[in-house]
Amino acid sequence: MDSYLGSYATLGLVAAAGVLVFVGAFGANKLLRPAAPAQPPGKFVAYESGIDPVGGDWAQAQIRYYVYAYLYVLFAVEAVFLFPWAVVYDLPGFGWATVTEMGVFVAVLALGILYAWRKKILTWT
């Protein structure tokens, strides 16, 4: 299959295999599921840690949880960039330019955490 149309044939075979797996999975599901599933009492009742829910279904979440999650993801993802830098820094040809770039990167991270600290975002109430 080295010809131009051979690559399309390969793509078609992969697509056909994907469709067969999809149809096979749903067919097996239809054959193996129970014909009349049981409806035990209380199946559609809301469950919250074994306690019956009280009040309405509208509850406001504190924004600080989202801020903590956002800051964690932000700093965790940016910290991941430190590992490749440490590997590249050891290679020849990377000298003070690499150290300077990483210094700027860490300075921006430090400014971000300092800003969050000064705005008292990191204090738990």
Side-chain angles (χ1 to χ4, degrees):
M1 295 213 174
D2 293 333
S3 68
Y4 178 73
L5 294 177
S7 60
Y8 285 111
T10 304
L11 180 64
L13 289 173
V14 169
V19 169
L20 284 175
V21 167
F22 180 78
V23 169
F26 275 92
N29 182 23
K30 187 167 178 106
L31 289 174
L32 297 175
R33 72 179 180 185
Q39 297 291 333
K43 181 174 182 177
F44 296 108
V45 175
Y47 180 77
E48 295 181 8
S49 302
I51 302 171
D52 290 333
V54 178
D57 59 349
W58 176 253
Q60 291 183 344
Q62 295 290 331
I63 190 67
R64 67 174 158 243
Y65 301 126
Y66 297 110
V67 171
Y68 275 105
Y70 179 72
L71 286 174
Y72 171 75
V73 168
L74 181 72
F75 288 111
V77 167
E78 289 182 352
V80 167
F81 289 120
L82 293 173
F83 296 109
W85 172 78
V87 172
V88 168
Y89 178 70
D90 193 33
L91 297 175
F94 296 96
W96 287 105
T98 309
V99 173
T100 305
E101 288 174 4
M102 191 48 64
V104 169
F105 179 76
V106 171
V108 169
L109 280 177
L111 283 174
I113 196 121
L114 181 67
Y115 176 79
W117 187 24
R118 296 278 301 203
K119 289 288 187 177
K120 299 196 188 301
I121 293 173
L122 299 177
T123 58
W124 190 261
T125 58

